[in-house]
Amino acid sequence: MDRIILHCDLNSFYASVELRSRPDLQNVPVAVCGDPTSRHGIILAKNEPAKKFGVQTAETIWQAKKKCPELVLLPPHHKLYRQVSKEVNTIYEQYTDLVEPFGIDESWLDVTHTLHLFGGDAKALADHLRQRMKQEMGLTLSVGVSFNKVFAKLGSDYRKPDATTVVSRENWQRLVWPLPVGRCCTWGAPPGRFWPSSA
């Protein structure tokens, strides 16, 4: 029997957490960044309006401002992000004890042996998690559903923000083959505490 893996990826995490307390900035370009007085300060996260201007994570602040002069810069609050990440993973743990965080804003959930407790439909469970994240945490989530970790991550990356993508044994070739080779380099992940290296 195939495993059932969800990869849950919080969209624009740092920026989304900051905007929970700044609804006035929801529809304007915003970036969380290092010290804006330093030429070497970089963009740590950006919201969807900033992405439309081509603002990219890890580029310098001056490069981002050149693309988007109206970009609003916010300082990071790393302690808050860690706390929110912990709260999010506590929610995931209500669906399975096989939760593997991958960075502060991503986690794999193996629901192979618990899915039947939540209706038995993996896509429906992913949609439920997205809705719950919006209602309880004020955050959007992209979820990939698949039979292994790599394709589950592909699914969460495939459509953003706030989307569910199922990568099955029936459709994976149709989804994967048209993609640029460079996209494939971001899907892998090291084996974790409960994942075999072949995942």
Side-chain angles (χ1 to χ4, degrees), residues 27-99:
N27 298 314
V28 301
V30 171
V32 177
C33 62
D35 183 1
T37 64
S38 168
R39 251 185 97 76
H40 302 292
I42 64 169
I43 302 298
L44 302 176
K46 69 281 182 191
N47 67 350
E48 289 300 318
K51 289 180 184 179
K52 293 178 180 178
F53 285 88
V55 175
Q56 297 182 1
T57 301
E59 73 179 344
T60 60
I61 294 170
W62 70 267
Q63 287 174 315
K65 291 286 281 186
K66 188 175 180 180
K67 295 175 182 177
C68 182
E70 304 303 313
L71 186 66
V72 176
L73 304 177
L74 299 176
H77 297 91
H78 293 287
K79 183 177 180 180
L80 174 61
Y81 307 147
R82 289 192 295 271
Q83 177 59 37
V84 172
S85 178
K86 183 177 179 180
E87 292 172 9
V88 167
N89 278 289
T90 297
I91 291 175
Y92 296 155
E93 288 167 357
Q94 295 174 22
Y95 299 87
T96 175
D97 60 345
L98 298 179
V99 175

Side-chain angles (χ1 to χ4, degrees), residues 111-156:
V111 297
T112 307
H113 301 295
T114 57
L115 184 63
H116 68 283
L117 300 173
F118 306 100
D121 184 328
K123 183 181 184 302
L125 177 58
D127 291 339
H128 164 76
L129 281 169
R130 291 194 299 109
Q131 189 62 30
R132 185 174 176 188
M133 204 59 60
K134 277 188 282 191
Q135 291 177 343
E136 296 184 21
M137 301 298 297
L139 303 171
T140 61
L141 183 68
S142 290
V143 185
V145 181
S146 194
F147 53 90
N148 65 36
K149 286 174 64 180
V150 173
F151 284 170
K153 181 162 173 58
L154 181 156
S156 68

Side-chain angles (χ1 to χ4, degrees), residues 98-111:
L98 298 179
V99 175
E100 182 181 354
F102 185 58
I104 198 168
D105 59 349
E106 304 178 41
S107 293
W108 280 282
L109 287 65
D110 186 334
V111 297

Side-chain angles (χ1 to χ4, degrees), residues 127-199:
D127 291 339
H128 164 76
L129 281 169
R130 291 194 299 109
Q131 189 62 30
R132 185 174 176 188
M133 204 59 60
K134 277 188 282 191
Q135 291 177 343
E136 296 184 21
M137 301 298 297
L139 303 171
T140 61
L141 183 68
S142 290
V143 185
V145 181
S146 194
F147 53 90
N148 65 36
K149 286 174 64 180
V150 173
F151 284 170
K153 181 162 173 58
L154 181 156
S156 68
D157 287 341
Y158 197 80
R159 284 189 303 145
K160 289 184 177 182
D162 194 21
T164 297
T165 301
V166 178
V167 183
S168 66
R169 289 198 180 276
E170 292 70 36
N171 73 0
W172 75 266
Q173 292 178 332
R174 177 172 56 83
L175 294 177
V176 174
W177 286 358
L179 296 174
V181 173
R183 287 281 298 274
C184 301
C185 299
T186 65
W187 301 335
R193 61 185 173 88
F194 59 83
W195 306 99
S197 58
S198 59

Side-chain angles (χ1 to χ4, degrees), residues 17-27 30 72-74:
V17 172
E18 296 293 341
L19 292 175
R20 295 193 307 178
S21 61
R22 294 293 305 271
D24 56 308
L25 298 177
Q26 287 287 348
N27 298 314
V30 171
V72 176
L73 304 177
L74 299 176

